[in-house]
Amino acid sequence: MIDGRFEVIGAAGPTHFFESLTAETLSHGYLFAGPAGVGKKTFALRLAQSLLCITPKTTLLGYCGHCSACTRIASGTHPDLYVAAGQVKIGDRDSAGFHAVEEATARDLVRQLTMHSYAGGRRVFVLGDVDFTREAANALLKFFEEPPPEVELLLTTTAVARLLPTVRSRLVEVTFPLLTAAEVAAILEREGVAPDAAAHAAQLAGGSTTRARALLDGEGTTREAATAWFFQTLEGGSADAAGWATRPALEEGLEVVKTLTRDWLALRVGGSDVPLLARDQAERIARLPERDPQLIARALGALGDAERVARTNVSPALVADLARMALVAVGTGA
Ligand SMILES: [Zn+2]
């Protein structure tokens, strides 16, 4: 007997709940409800692994990580673990329609649910972000009511009220709360996000890793848009500020423009040995026209003014125009 490991960041309540269960008191089906990005599906998959792991353990929650079952789960090939996501349709009338690979139909599920276990033990079904058409729900109802022996159903949803009461009433509901910022940051770091960026996104994410990842993606896009705008403006092209001159992206976009301007000034004053902040743009900054450093410094000041204006209620487009005038003034010496 070992103490299995069970690594899910956050979800203290659900962890505590399942720790108190035994194989005998485990229900046949659970519905994990809560906001997006709080670990419902991760928890369902770890619970599935705990139930399928063949190493004897002291508690229900936990897995060894190296038995044949754990190895197969890690490679996504365990024959007794069925994982799907999204809306479940009845599946017999839209055969001409498009199906995402991991989308399950009620027909698939009925077939899968009536199959025998490969390993002779449990079979676990994880249905993430699940939603059923009425027809699909009706076709599956008897399985929710009384699944075949050894079948475990783990469903997750962000919109529990949208599920049909007939489905909901046949499953044990477990609520997953929002994560703390520290938990969100820890999850992002585990995914390879740099600690600073993870902490920053976690602060703004309101307890959801989904929102944090969207913020990280969005900030990347803002940076690219503002960088492109900066060079186009200085190279005399028609620059479109639409990619960063929006209320949520404005502050970040201006910061990018200021950073590039500061680097431009640093290169002109200190030469090519000066360490730049936007290192990935060093070559392009070096190719910018020779300008009087005093003019660049003045533009930097004007960008600081634009930043202060940005904190008031003026439109982002107007702030972008102030920034554009600040940069163009360097070129004209105005
Ligand atoms: Zn194992």
Side-chain angles (χ1 to χ4, degrees), residues 49 52-55 57 63-71:
Q49 185 165 357
L52 293 169
C53 173
I54 57 176
T55 304
K57 285 169 297 291
Y63 46 88
C64 72
H66 51 70
C67 69
S68 59
C70 285
T71 309

Side-chain angles (χ1 to χ4, degrees), residues 200 215 218-231 233 240-262 278 300 303-304 306-308 310 316 319-324 327:
H200 180 66
L215 282 164
E219 286 184 0
T221 312
T222 301
R223 192 172 303 132
E224 282 160 30
T227 301
W229 177 90
F230 172 83
F231 286 111
T233 301
D240 181 7
W244 64 273
T246 61
R247 190 47 70 195
L250 191 61
E251 210 173 309
E252 163 95 7
L254 269 180
E255 191 54 46
V256 170
V257 171
K258 270 179 64 184
T259 299
L260 291 167
T261 308
R262 210 177 288 132
L300 203 51
L303 287 170
E307 213 169 23
R308 278 185 285 281
V319 176
D321 214 41
L322 289 174
R324 186 186 60 78
L327 292 180

